[in-house]
Amino acid sequence: MTITPRAALTRSYELRYGEAFMPLCPELVKPTPDTLFSAPENGERANVETRLSRLVGYLTPIDRFYVRNHGATPRIERDSWRLELEGDGLKQPATLDYDALCALPRVSLVRAVECAGNARSFFKSRFGHQAGGAQWRTGAIGVAEWSGVRLRDVLALAGVRDAAVDILPEGLDDVRYARPLPIDKALADDTLIALAMNGEPLPSDHGFPARLIVSGWLGAASVKWLGRIEVACRALHTHWNKTEYTLAGPSWPERPPADGVPVSVMPVMSVAELDWPAHLAAGRRVIRGRAFSGEARVARVQYAVDHGPWREAELGTPNIAAAWVCWSFIWNATPGNHTLRVRAVDEHGQVQPDEVEWNDHGVLFNAVVAHPLRVAGY
Ligand code: MTE
């Protein structure tokens, strides 16, 4: 299998964008200008978050979809790419090429991918010290239309044994990123191997040629640059479900060999399409945002400005479970400093809390935050 060094990839973008193109993150292939992205403090080598104020439309365009990599983006040649299926949970091993995947029934789904550490920076403002990891604000989420094939159709080519417990999808990046997934979720109707994103072949940074999309779960489950899937008749453990992407710390139980509770479904949360702090002109303003809740659909979004009462925001369409809903309200902005609080409620009655418990890895922060608004006079 051929993997081209990153330098060769960025060169083609440099040619396209000339000197005007200043990548925010040279470990990535797509341009990441600071007008569309910001780099989280403490981020590893290849992380950029979406500037939510630059969202347009329901889907997150590829050019502004956040990227969370544990290493540099690898470039994989489609023709030499293979997906290996193996393990004692399969009736026989199998090797598939790109054409073999394309021959399976195609499925398209609109789904969110959200980093478990989204909004991690707020642990510092609440608890006075940082939780480990990239200090994301709220832009480590995006929603795209993912097209590909069902993972269960792929695994069926090798025959899944009834005794199978976990699968281990493994990436072809230099860290060989791999996070186990329970077999039930692997075989779910809406667990995909995606080959396309928003109607385009999967971009390199988002997992070309093939990545998992695990609906409603933390982004870390959606393994990019798939190269191998083990199916096992025992529980599987890697660094990424034992000591990262777990709820660990004094308030959380240990689940040996994990240091805490491995994260699965993402909680209910809302974000505003505003810079932090937001700078607005006085007058009638439409304030917009998005709300989402793991595998569920959002039922209501409420907002409060300063110490005012909670009011209902208007919800847009579509409102897709495991994706998001757009919300908006009209605000008569008066000069001065204000705060905006927003809370989402999902179809199961889960409400965004006012506070969350501390956890050492800073995952699943979904408390209501006070978004600073600075309104200038005319
Ligand atoms: N897959 C591989 N192979 N390597 C990675 O570093 N990062 C994971 C996941 N899949 C990762 C990966 C994490 S932590 C997240 S949040 C999502 O990819 C981010 O997906 P995106 O970069 O397409 O937004």
Side-chain angles (χ1 to χ4, degrees), residues 119-140:
R120 180 179 285 127
S121 61
F122 293 103
F123 279 101
K124 183 167 183 203
S125 36
R126 299 287 167 111
F127 295 91
H129 53 286
Q130 270 187 9
Q135 299 300 300
W136 303 106
R137 206 160 261 146
T138 50

Side-chain angles (χ1 to χ4, degrees), residues 65-71 113-116 140 146 170-173 175-178 197 205-207 211 218-226 245:
F65 204 102
Y66 86 101
V67 182
R68 200 304 180 222
N69 286 0
H70 289 84
V113 175
E114 183 185 12
C115 185
W146 307 98
E170 192 181 277
L172 292 166
D173 38 351
V175 295
R176 287 291 189 271
Y177 177 85
M197 179 180 185
D205 295 315
H206 297 289
R211 76 173 298 171
L218 73 167
S222 293
V223 176
K224 304 192 274 191
W225 313 295
L226 270 180
Y245 306 117

